[in-house]
Amino acid sequence: HTSSSGTMAANDDDDVLLYMGLGGGLDVVNAALVHAHARSPSTALLGSARTLVVGRVKQAVRALHHPLAVVVGGGTRFQTRHGRYAEAHVARALGRNDIIYLSRRTDAAPDRDDVGGTAAAVAALGTSWPHVHTLCFVDGGGDSLVLHRTDTCAGSEVDSPFDGGDACMLAASARVPRGAVPNIVLCVVA
């Protein structure tokens, strides 16, 4: 059901699969690798969960039914002083204008992850367009699997894997009301 503009035109009865980069960085690229092998790419979307507030995402394709979520495409710009955002580059490379961008932070508290707000945004993806039935968080490297602080290795990106983006998204997914997004899974690309 992908239109000529690169935007998915899912029907209300479609079971949409969303492959979403879990914590940031290049996780959207890892999600694109998994997305490329989707059994039914016409009902599969790509997404990314990051820290940049939605108010700093310019030229988004459209707003979604939650203030922490927008749809981005190849012309989207991310106004940031730190870090790079690959979402628009991935959209251009794939010829798509339907990549879901989910911010873990609000304009009111741009320096702190909002687990409750993020859970509500994930729930909204299941109850309004695009009606996500299965959300597959994709983590590159596997730091989402760390169970204890001593499991980290030298050179880890964060001092504590329990304080980063992966931790926020996993905590938020545990708070999504039952039935909003029926299936939430974690895929690790290592």
Side-chain angles (χ1 to χ4, degrees):
H1 308 296
T2 303
S3 72
S4 60
S5 66
T7 302
M8 192 179 106
N11 296 319
D12 284 344
D13 58 349
D14 285 338
D15 288 338
V16 175
L17 211 67
L18 174 59
Y19 295 97
M20 179 168 278
L22 178 62
L26 292 176
D27 282 344
V28 68
V29 175
N30 293 309
L33 294 172
V34 178
H35 174 269
H37 294 285
R39 285 190 177 181
S40 179
S42 65
T43 57
L45 285 173
L46 183 58
S48 181
R50 303 288 302 269
T51 58
L52 189 68
V53 297
V54 168
R56 298 186 60 86
V57 178
K58 303 301 179 188
Q59 297 174 322
V61 174
R62 68 183 269 195
L64 289 176
H65 297 282
H66 193 279
L68 294 182
V70 294
V71 177
V72 301
T76 302
R77 294 180 298 111
F78 295 84
Q79 291 184 326
T80 178
R81 289 173 274 167
H82 306 290
R84 296 182 183 161
Y85 283 73
E87 290 78 4
H89 300 289
V90 170
R92 279 192 300 277
L94 298 176
R96 298 190 69 108
N97 283 311
D98 60 357
I99 295 180
I100 307 296
Y101 176 83
L102 181 72
S103 177
R104 299 187 311 264
R105 298 180 179 180
T106 65
D107 288 322
D111 297 325
R112 183 175 47 87
D113 285 341
D114 179 358
V115 174
T118 303
V122 170
L125 293 174
T127 57
S128 59
W129 190 92
H131 302 285
V132 173
H133 183 268
T134 300
L135 174 56
C136 178
F137 284 119
V138 180
D139 178 30
D143 51 332
S144 62
L145 299 177
V146 173
L147 300 176
H148 192 270
R149 292 183 195 280
T150 58
D151 292 340
T152 60
C153 61
S156 179
E157 291 182 29
V158 294
D159 292 330
S160 172
F162 303 101
D163 296 329
D166 292 358
C168 173
M169 293 310 297
L170 293 173
S173 68
R175 292 186 185 184
V176 173
R178 285 195 178 273
V181 177
N183 304 298
I184 299 176
V185 297
L186 174 65
C187 171
V188 176
V189 177

